[in-house]
Amino acid sequence: MKFTVLYGTESGNSELIAQDLGQKLQEEHEATVADLQDFEPEQFSAEQFYIIICSTHGEGELPNTALPFYEKFESFEADLSGVNYAMFGLGDTFYEETYSQGSEHIDRRLTELGATRIGEYGRHDASSWDLPSDVALEWLPAIVEEAASLTPAGGTQ
C-alpha cells in the first residue's frame, strides 16, 4: 500500500508523530511524510491512503504550517470521491470547546469534497500523561488494517 502522512504543526509534536508513523509504515509499505505547507490540494489522489496529523492552535485554529494549505483547500473545488484518509488530531481537553478542532477543520473539508475517513478518529489529549507518538502508534494498526481491506485483491495500492 502507498501511504502519505501529512502533518500540520505549531510546536513540532505533529511532525514527530508523522515521522514515527511514517517510519513504522515503511517497515511494510511505501510511505512518505510531508508538511501540509508543502502539499497542494490538487495532489490528493485515490492511489494513496492519507494519514493526516494536525494539532490545534489558539482557540481551535489550525497550526501555522497547515494554514497555507487550508486557505487553498477552502476554495478548492474537486470531487475527492475515492480518496481515503485517516485523521489524528492533537489538542487539550482542558479547552473543552476547542479540543482537537484544528484537525476537524481539515476533516470537515475533506468530507465536503467527497473523501472518506476510515477508522476511528485518532486523538491525543495534551492533558494526559500519554506520549503523543505512543497513542498514535497504538491507533495505527487498526487504520492500516482497514485501509488494506479497501485494496482490491491483486491491487497495487
Side-chain angles (χ1 to χ4, degrees):
M1 288 192 64
K2 294 179 182 177
F3 289 90
T4 298
V5 182
L6 300 170
Y7 64 90
T9 192
E10 187 71 30
S11 63
N13 284 335
S14 294
E15 181 177 5
L16 292 173
I17 294 169
Q19 289 172 348
D20 287 344
L21 294 184
Q23 188 174 20
K24 183 68 177 172
L25 288 165
Q26 289 168 354
E27 291 175 3
E28 296 182 27
H29 305 279
E30 187 178 326
T32 58
V33 176
D35 192 328
L36 278 169
Q37 68 184 346
D38 300 323
F39 188 82
E40 299 294 328
E42 295 82 7
Q43 292 177 270
F44 279 114
S45 162
E47 305 301 316
Q48 298 278 319
F49 186 90
Y50 297 91
I51 297 177
I52 302 168
I53 316 294
C54 189
S55 63
T56 302
H57 184 63
E59 296 182 23
E61 291 99 24
L62 288 158
N64 277 333
T65 70
L67 285 175
F69 164 80
Y70 194 73
E71 288 170 4
K72 295 174 198 168
F73 199 39
E74 275 188 303
S75 60
F76 179 68
E77 293 295 333
D79 181 3
L80 295 184
S81 298
V83 171
N84 296 301
Y85 70 97
M87 186 67 69
F88 191 91
L90 286 79
D92 189 329
T93 55
F94 180 78
Y95 304 99
E96 201 172 300
E97 292 183 22
T98 61
Y99 174 60
S100 191
Q101 279 192 2
S103 63
E104 291 176 11
H105 295 294
I106 297 171
D107 183 62
R108 268 192 298 278
R109 187 66 183 141
L110 280 164
T111 300
E112 287 171 1
L113 296 174
T116 303
R117 180 164 39 88
I118 303 301
E120 185 177 331
Y121 200 117
R123 296 184 198 270
H124 176 262
D125 177 8
S127 287
S128 75
W129 290 98
D130 299 325
L131 296 174
S133 281
D134 289 351
V135 174
L137 287 167
E138 286 178 24
W139 167 81
L140 184 64
I143 297 302
V144 171
E145 185 177 323
E146 286 197 46
S149 73
L150 301 172
T151 304
T156 57
Q157 280 192 341

